[in-house]
Tab-separated table of all heavy atoms in Angstrom:
chain	number	residue	atom	x	y	z
A	123	ALA	N	15.316	-10.948	3.166
A	123	ALA	CA	16.710	-10.493	3.281
A	123	ALA	C	16.667	-9.166	4.013
A	123	ALA	O	15.711	-8.459	4.157
A	123	ALA	CB	17.306	-10.165	1.939
A	124	GLY	N	17.876	-8.889	4.686
A	124	GLY	CA	18.025	-7.678	5.472
A	124	GLY	C	17.986	-6.393	4.595
A	124	GLY	O	18.168	-6.511	3.375
A	125	THR	N	17.736	-5.281	5.185
A	125	THR	CA	17.579	-4.037	4.488
A	125	THR	C	18.719	-3.072	4.920
A	125	THR	O	18.645	-1.925	4.515
A	125	THR	CB	16.212	-3.290	4.767
A	125	THR	OG1	15.998	-3.190	6.147
A	125	THR	CG2	15.060	-4.204	4.184
A	126	PHE	N	19.678	-3.556	5.569
A	126	PHE	CA	20.834	-2.660	5.995
A	126	PHE	C	21.563	-2.117	4.745
A	126	PHE	O	21.845	-2.851	3.800
A	126	PHE	CB	21.803	-3.440	6.757
A	126	PHE	CG	22.972	-2.611	7.324
A	126	PHE	CD1	22.885	-1.745	8.348
A	126	PHE	CD2	24.305	-2.743	6.651
A	126	PHE	CE1	23.928	-1.006	8.818
A	126	PHE	CE2	25.317	-1.963	7.031
A	126	PHE	CZ	25.112	-1.098	8.151
A	127	GLY	N	21.724	-0.806	4.780
A	127	GLY	CA	22.361	-0.166	3.648
A	127	GLY	C	21.440	0.297	2.537
A	127	GLY	O	21.901	1.018	1.612
A	128	LEU	N	20.125	-0.050	2.656
A	128	LEU	CA	19.168	0.402	1.638
A	128	LEU	C	18.635	1.733	2.101
A	128	LEU	O	17.855	1.772	3.109
A	128	LEU	CB	18.083	-0.635	1.431
A	128	LEU	CG	18.505	-1.975	0.918
A	128	LEU	CD1	17.277	-2.945	0.755
A	128	LEU	CD2	19.341	-1.933	-0.329
A	129	THR	N	18.977	2.803	1.431
A	129	THR	CA	18.712	4.131	2.071
A	129	THR	C	17.297	4.688	1.579
A	129	THR	O	16.825	5.676	2.167
A	129	THR	CB	19.810	5.139	1.629
A	129	THR	OG1	19.934	5.117	0.255
A	129	THR	CG2	21.161	4.722	2.291
A	130	ASP	N	16.775	4.073	0.554
A	130	ASP	CA	15.523	4.598	-0.022
A	130	ASP	C	14.440	3.564	0.013
A	130	ASP	O	13.970	3.098	-1.067
A	130	ASP	CB	15.779	5.231	-1.355
A	130	ASP	CG	14.595	6.079	-1.816
A	130	ASP	OD1	13.610	6.238	-1.030
A	130	ASP	OD2	14.687	6.620	-2.967
A	131	LEU	N	14.110	3.055	1.158
A	131	LEU	CA	12.997	2.033	1.320
A	131	LEU	C	11.695	2.793	1.084
A	131	LEU	O	11.444	3.883	1.657
A	131	LEU	CB	13.036	1.450	2.715
A	131	LEU	CG	14.041	0.227	2.910
A	131	LEU	CD1	13.946	-0.221	4.374
A	131	LEU	CD2	13.668	-0.911	1.991
A	132	ARG	N	10.765	2.168	0.396
A	132	ARG	CA	9.465	2.726	0.235
A	132	ARG	C	8.432	1.628	0.323
A	132	ARG	O	8.652	0.451	0.160
A	132	ARG	CB	9.359	3.343	-1.185
A	132	ARG	CG	10.361	4.373	-1.446
A	132	ARG	CD	10.152	5.170	-2.740
A	132	ARG	NE	11.323	6.073	-3.096
A	132	ARG	CZ	11.274	6.914	-4.095
A	132	ARG	NH1	10.174	7.040	-4.843
A	132	ARG	NH2	12.342	7.632	-4.378
A	133	MET	N	7.163	2.088	0.590
A	133	MET	CA	6.054	1.157	0.691
A	133	MET	C	4.846	1.676	-0.063
A	133	MET	O	4.503	2.869	0.024
A	133	MET	CB	5.660	0.815	2.161
A	133	MET	CG	4.446	-0.098	2.319
A	133	MET	SD	4.071	-0.463	4.041
A	133	MET	CE	5.282	-1.736	4.308
A	134	MET	N	4.195	0.791	-0.805
A	134	MET	CA	2.890	1.119	-1.441
A	134	MET	C	1.862	0.286	-0.718
A	134	MET	O	1.997	-0.953	-0.635
A	134	MET	CB	2.967	0.807	-2.918
A	134	MET	CG	1.586	0.971	-3.619
A	134	MET	SD	1.183	2.741	-3.994
A	134	MET	CE	2.351	3.052	-5.332
A	135	VAL	N	0.770	0.926	-0.228
A	135	VAL	CA	-0.287	0.205	0.486
A	135	VAL	C	-1.640	0.679	-0.052
A	135	VAL	O	-1.738	1.837	-0.443
A	135	VAL	CB	-0.184	0.469	2.013
A	135	VAL	CG1	-0.295	1.908	2.350
A	135	VAL	CG2	-1.127	-0.419	2.747
A	136	THR	N	-2.571	-0.155	-0.094
A	136	THR	CA	-3.857	0.128	-0.722
A	136	THR	C	-4.589	1.060	0.074
A	136	THR	O	-5.381	1.934	-0.452
A	136	THR	CB	-4.669	-1.116	-1.090
A	136	THR	OG1	-4.788	-1.887	0.075
A	136	THR	CG2	-3.933	-1.899	-2.114
A	137	LEU	N	-4.608	0.970	1.461
A	137	LEU	CA	-5.288	1.868	2.334
A	137	LEU	C	-4.289	2.581	3.219
A	137	LEU	O	-3.260	2.018	3.638
A	137	LEU	CB	-6.278	1.079	3.252
A	137	LEU	CG	-7.502	0.542	2.579
A	137	LEU	CD1	-8.434	-0.120	3.636
A	137	LEU	CD2	-8.280	1.571	1.864
A	138	HIS	N	-4.521	3.815	3.598
A	138	HIS	CA	-3.618	4.623	4.397
A	138	HIS	C	-3.347	3.879	5.682
A	138	HIS	O	-4.261	3.299	6.390
A	138	HIS	CB	-4.324	5.912	4.780
A	138	HIS	CG	-3.355	6.940	5.401
A	138	HIS	ND1	-2.849	6.688	6.679
A	138	HIS	CD2	-2.827	8.026	4.945
A	138	HIS	CE1	-2.040	7.718	7.019
A	138	HIS	NE2	-2.026	8.583	6.065
A	139	PRO	N	-2.078	3.755	6.109
A	139	PRO	CA	-1.744	2.967	7.355
A	139	PRO	C	-2.373	3.495	8.590
A	139	PRO	O	-2.645	4.691	8.694
A	139	PRO	CB	-0.155	3.193	7.400
A	139	PRO	CG	0.241	3.461	6.075
A	139	PRO	CD	-0.878	4.241	5.460
A	140	CYS	N	-2.631	2.558	9.494
A	140	CYS	CA	-3.148	2.946	10.827
A	140	CYS	C	-1.978	3.319	11.743
A	140	CYS	O	-0.797	3.179	11.340
A	140	CYS	CB	-3.930	1.749	11.439
A	140	CYS	SG	-2.905	0.387	11.940
A	141	TYR	N	-2.256	3.753	12.914
A	141	TYR	CA	-1.154	4.225	13.801
A	141	TYR	C	-0.229	3.084	14.218
A	141	TYR	O	1.044	3.206	14.200
A	141	TYR	CB	-1.788	4.701	15.026
A	141	TYR	CG	-0.754	5.309	16.060
A	141	TYR	CD1	0.277	6.051	15.648
A	141	TYR	CD2	-0.940	5.044	17.391
A	141	TYR	CE1	1.188	6.583	16.593
A	141	TYR	CE2	-0.033	5.570	18.346
A	141	TYR	CZ	0.981	6.297	17.908
A	141	TYR	OH	1.928	6.792	18.849
A	142	GLU	N	-0.765	1.759	14.435
A	142	GLU	CA	0.114	0.711	14.805
A	142	GLU	C	1.057	0.388	13.693
A	142	GLU	O	2.297	0.115	13.823
A	142	GLU	CB	-0.746	-0.497	15.211
A	142	GLU	CG	-1.514	-0.322	16.499
A	142	GLU	CD	-0.578	-0.058	17.702
A	142	GLU	OE1	0.471	-0.722	17.796
A	142	GLU	OE2	-0.932	0.824	18.423
A	143	CYS	N	0.542	0.413	12.411
A	143	CYS	CA	1.361	0.049	11.323
A	143	CYS	C	2.391	1.240	11.055
A	143	CYS	O	3.517	0.991	10.603
A	143	CYS	CB	0.553	-0.266	10.129
A	143	CYS	SG	-0.288	-1.779	10.114
A	144	ALA	N	1.979	2.514	11.286
A	144	ALA	CA	2.870	3.621	11.093
A	144	ALA	C	4.084	3.507	11.990
A	144	ALA	O	5.213	3.775	11.480
A	144	ALA	CB	2.118	4.910	11.371
A	145	LYS	N	3.874	2.955	13.171
A	145	LYS	CA	5.093	2.826	14.121
A	145	LYS	C	6.024	1.796	13.488
A	145	LYS	O	7.273	2.012	13.589
A	145	LYS	CB	4.597	2.459	15.435
A	145	LYS	CG	3.926	3.621	16.201
A	145	LYS	CD	3.503	3.290	17.659
A	145	LYS	CE	2.286	2.368	17.679
A	145	LYS	NZ	1.803	2.220	19.121
A	146	GLN	N	5.456	0.723	12.947
A	146	GLN	CA	6.397	-0.331	12.349
A	146	GLN	C	7.149	0.269	11.133
A	146	GLN	O	8.233	-0.089	10.874
A	146	GLN	CB	5.549	-1.548	11.933
A	146	GLN	CG	4.838	-2.139	13.167
A	146	GLN	CD	5.788	-2.691	14.173
A	146	GLN	OE1	6.864	-3.196	13.912
A	146	GLN	NE2	5.482	-2.364	15.514
A	147	ILE	N	6.385	1.032	10.362
A	147	ILE	CA	7.000	1.684	9.136
A	147	ILE	C	8.158	2.576	9.592
A	147	ILE	O	9.262	2.515	8.989
A	147	ILE	CB	5.921	2.468	8.454
A	147	ILE	CG1	4.989	1.544	7.671
A	147	ILE	CG2	6.541	3.517	7.486
A	147	ILE	CD1	3.753	2.185	7.143
A	148	VAL	N	7.994	3.410	10.672
A	148	VAL	CA	9.098	4.220	11.183
A	148	VAL	C	10.256	3.343	11.643
A	148	VAL	O	11.415	3.646	11.265
A	148	VAL	CB	8.537	5.102	12.319
A	148	VAL	CG1	9.690	5.857	12.944
A	148	VAL	CG2	7.561	6.154	11.731
A	149	ASN	N	9.947	2.337	12.357
A	149	ASN	CA	11.060	1.488	12.919
A	149	ASN	C	11.845	0.780	11.861
A	149	ASN	O	13.050	0.464	12.044
A	149	ASN	CB	10.452	0.476	13.935
A	149	ASN	CG	10.073	1.092	15.265
A	149	ASN	OD1	10.485	2.210	15.636
A	149	ASN	ND2	9.194	0.411	16.031
A	150	LYS	N	11.178	0.465	10.795
A	150	LYS	CA	11.880	-0.300	9.666
A	150	LYS	C	12.729	0.713	8.801
A	150	LYS	O	13.479	0.258	8.023
A	150	LYS	CB	10.855	-0.983	8.776
A	150	LYS	CG	11.430	-1.952	7.841
A	150	LYS	CD	12.171	-3.041	8.596
A	150	LYS	CE	13.101	-3.908	7.706
A	150	LYS	NZ	13.891	-4.791	8.435
A	151	GLY	N	12.567	1.963	9.020
A	151	GLY	CA	13.358	2.924	8.255
A	151	GLY	C	12.788	3.211	6.866
A	151	GLY	O	13.492	3.602	5.949
A	152	ILE	N	11.520	2.976	6.613
A	152	ILE	CA	10.884	3.274	5.377
A	152	ILE	C	10.718	4.769	5.242
A	152	ILE	O	10.247	5.479	6.168
A	152	ILE	CB	9.501	2.521	5.313
A	152	ILE	CG1	9.677	1.042	5.339
A	152	ILE	CG2	8.698	2.974	4.084
A	152	ILE	CD1	8.400	0.264	5.529
A	153	LYS	N	11.180	5.297	4.114
A	153	LYS	CA	11.302	6.726	3.886
A	153	LYS	C	10.002	7.336	3.212
A	153	LYS	O	9.745	8.517	3.406
A	153	LYS	CB	12.464	7.105	3.108
A	153	LYS	CG	13.820	6.654	3.757
A	153	LYS	CD	14.017	7.314	5.084
A	153	LYS	CE	15.371	6.853	5.685
A	153	LYS	NZ	15.489	7.419	7.098
A	154	THR	N	9.354	6.537	2.412
A	154	THR	CA	8.202	7.073	1.673
A	154	THR	C	7.109	6.000	1.714
A	154	THR	O	7.335	4.813	1.493
A	154	THR	CB	8.543	7.304	0.198
A	154	THR	OG1	9.683	8.206	0.186
A	154	THR	CG2	7.359	7.931	-0.521
A	155	VAL	N	5.879	6.475	1.972
A	155	VAL	CA	4.681	5.599	1.941
A	155	VAL	C	3.705	6.242	0.988
A	155	VAL	O	3.310	7.400	1.076
A	155	VAL	CB	4.047	5.502	3.384
A	155	VAL	CG1	2.651	4.778	3.263
A	155	VAL	CG2	4.956	4.887	4.334
A	156	TYR	N	3.299	5.447	0.002
A	156	TYR	CA	2.347	5.708	-0.919
A	156	TYR	C	1.026	4.949	-0.571
A	156	TYR	O	1.128	3.786	-0.188
A	156	TYR	CB	2.639	5.376	-2.376
A	156	TYR	CG	3.914	5.959	-2.886
A	156	TYR	CD1	5.103	5.150	-2.800
A	156	TYR	CD2	3.993	7.195	-3.490
A	156	TYR	CE1	6.317	5.628	-3.236
A	156	TYR	CE2	5.272	7.683	-3.964
A	156	TYR	CZ	6.394	6.897	-3.836
A	156	TYR	OH	7.570	7.419	-4.300
A	157	TYR	N	-0.136	5.578	-0.606
A	157	TYR	CA	-1.400	4.804	-0.416
A	157	TYR	C	-2.370	5.195	-1.495
A	157	TYR	O	-2.357	6.279	-2.022
A	157	TYR	CB	-1.943	5.143	0.976
A	157	TYR	CG	-2.462	6.552	1.251
A	157	TYR	CD1	-3.805	6.901	1.037
A	157	TYR	CD2	-1.565	7.548	1.584
A	157	TYR	CE1	-4.197	8.172	1.253
A	157	TYR	CE2	-1.985	8.836	1.751
A	157	TYR	CZ	-3.324	9.215	1.603
A	157	TYR	OH	-3.756	10.444	1.751
A	158	VAL	N	-3.215	4.259	-1.881
A	158	VAL	CA	-4.157	4.409	-2.995
A	158	VAL	C	-5.515	4.972	-2.526
A	158	VAL	O	-6.002	5.917	-3.134
A	158	VAL	CB	-4.391	3.110	-3.643
A	158	VAL	CG1	-5.331	3.287	-4.868
A	158	VAL	CG2	-3.025	2.524	-4.213
A	159	TRP	N	-6.024	4.436	-1.413
A	159	TRP	CA	-7.369	4.924	-0.962
A	159	TRP	C	-7.257	5.442	0.481
A	159	TRP	O	-6.502	4.926	1.290
A	159	TRP	CB	-8.338	3.741	-1.005
A	159	TRP	CG	-8.779	3.364	-2.341
A	159	TRP	CD1	-9.661	3.993	-3.202
A	159	TRP	CD2	-8.479	2.195	-3.030
A	159	TRP	NE1	-9.823	3.324	-4.332
A	159	TRP	CE2	-9.089	2.189	-4.276
A	159	TRP	CE3	-7.662	1.071	-2.748
A	159	TRP	CZ2	-9.033	1.179	-5.238
A	159	TRP	CZ3	-7.542	0.031	-3.642
A	159	TRP	CH2	-8.209	0.042	-4.890
A	160	GLU	N	-8.173	6.330	0.819
A	160	GLU	CA	-8.331	6.764	2.214
A	160	GLU	C	-9.336	5.801	2.853
A	160	GLU	O	-10.134	5.050	2.121
A	160	GLU	CB	-8.911	8.166	2.281
A	160	GLU	CG	-7.946	9.195	2.046
A	160	GLU	CD	-7.051	9.520	3.220
A	160	GLU	OE1	-7.172	8.739	4.233
A	160	GLU	OE2	-6.317	10.451	3.235
A	161	TYR	N	-9.390	5.761	4.144
A	161	TYR	CA	-10.414	5.123	4.834
A	161	TYR	C	-10.478	5.738	6.254
A	161	TYR	O	-9.789	6.698	6.561
A	161	TYR	CB	-10.175	3.629	5.001
A	161	TYR	CG	-9.356	3.125	6.120
A	161	TYR	CD1	-9.870	2.296	7.095
A	161	TYR	CD2	-7.995	3.517	6.219
A	161	TYR	CE1	-9.010	1.872	8.101
A	161	TYR	CE2	-7.201	3.028	7.205
A	161	TYR	CZ	-7.661	2.254	8.189
A	161	TYR	OH	-6.953	1.875	9.266
A	162	GLY	N	-11.436	5.287	7.103
A	162	GLY	CA	-11.646	5.884	8.393
A	162	GLY	C	-10.483	5.686	9.378
A	162	GLY	O	-10.607	5.145	10.403
Side-chain angles (χ1 to χ4, degrees):
T125 56
F126 180 77
L128 302 181
T129 58
D130 195 359
L131 278 176
R132 304 187 190 188
M133 177 177 281
M134 177 75 72
V135 62
T136 55
L137 291 183
H138 190 292
C140 70
Y141 182 44
E142 292 302 316
C143 288
K145 289 185 282 188
Q146 299 301 315
I147 286 167
V148 170
N149 285 343
K150 193 59 189 173
I152 295 168
K153 300 301 183 185
T154 306
V155 172
Y156 306 95
Y157 66 95
V158 180
W159 288 287
E160 282 282 8
Y161 85 117

